[in-house]
């Protein structure tokens, strides 16, 4: 088994997601931003919808079809999307990976 399929704990996913987010944030010179479970995509990281599309592509490339950010986002209303935290996404990724294991 590869690391991607065995490392399904929150800490591992947070580290992987943090790396993906820092890659996105590097375009804005913000790659040193602190990323925790409580970090919000909108207020803390100031990500726009186009950034979430890019993140979706990175998640799919890393985890395959098991993690679908578009489906995860589609289940939320606008206020929930604006308030979305890294931790919520981490828990979704962990649950998705465990469900498909």
């Amino acid at each position: 088994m590869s690391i991607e399929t065995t490392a399904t704990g929150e800490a591992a996913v947070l580290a992987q997601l943090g790396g993906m987010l820092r890659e996105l944030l590097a375009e804005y010179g913000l790659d040193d931003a602190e990323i925790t479970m409580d970090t919000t995509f909108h207020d803390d990281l100031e990500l726009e919808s186009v950034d979430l599309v890019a993140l979706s592509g990175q998640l799919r490339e890393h985890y395959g079809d098991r993690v679908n950010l578009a489906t995860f986002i589609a289940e939320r209303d606008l206020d929930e999307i604006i308030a979305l935290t890294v931790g919520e996404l981490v828990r979704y990724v962990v649950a998705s990976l465990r469900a498909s294991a």
Side-chain angles (χ1 to χ4, degrees):
M1 267 190 178
S2 70
I3 290 174
E4 288 96 275
T5 57
T6 58
T8 58
E10 286 185 6
V13 172
L14 177 61
Q16 293 161 349
L17 184 57
M20 292 176 202
L21 288 167
R22 282 189 184 82
E23 192 175 304
L24 281 174
L25 293 168
E27 297 175 26
Y28 307 111
L30 301 171
D31 53 325
D32 62 346
E34 182 180 5
I35 299 172
T36 68
M37 294 290 275
D38 295 323
T39 302
T40 62
F41 289 97
H42 184 265
D43 291 339
D44 295 330
L45 301 179
E46 299 180 12
L47 294 182
E48 301 292 331
S49 58
V50 68
D51 298 312
L52 292 177
V53 171
L55 179 59
S56 177
Q58 286 183 313
L59 288 169
R60 185 160 292 205
E61 185 176 304
H62 188 80
Y63 297 111
D65 291 336
R66 300 175 293 173
V67 176
N68 188 328
L69 182 59
T71 300
F72 176 68
I73 296 285
E75 296 172 350
R76 284 153 178 67
D77 66 31
L78 183 57
D79 289 336
E80 290 173 319
I81 293 169
I82 290 171
L84 185 66
T85 66
V86 170
E88 289 174 276
L89 181 56
V90 165
R91 286 186 286 278
Y92 166 74
V93 170
V94 168
S96 295
L97 294 175
R98 288 184 178 158
S100 64

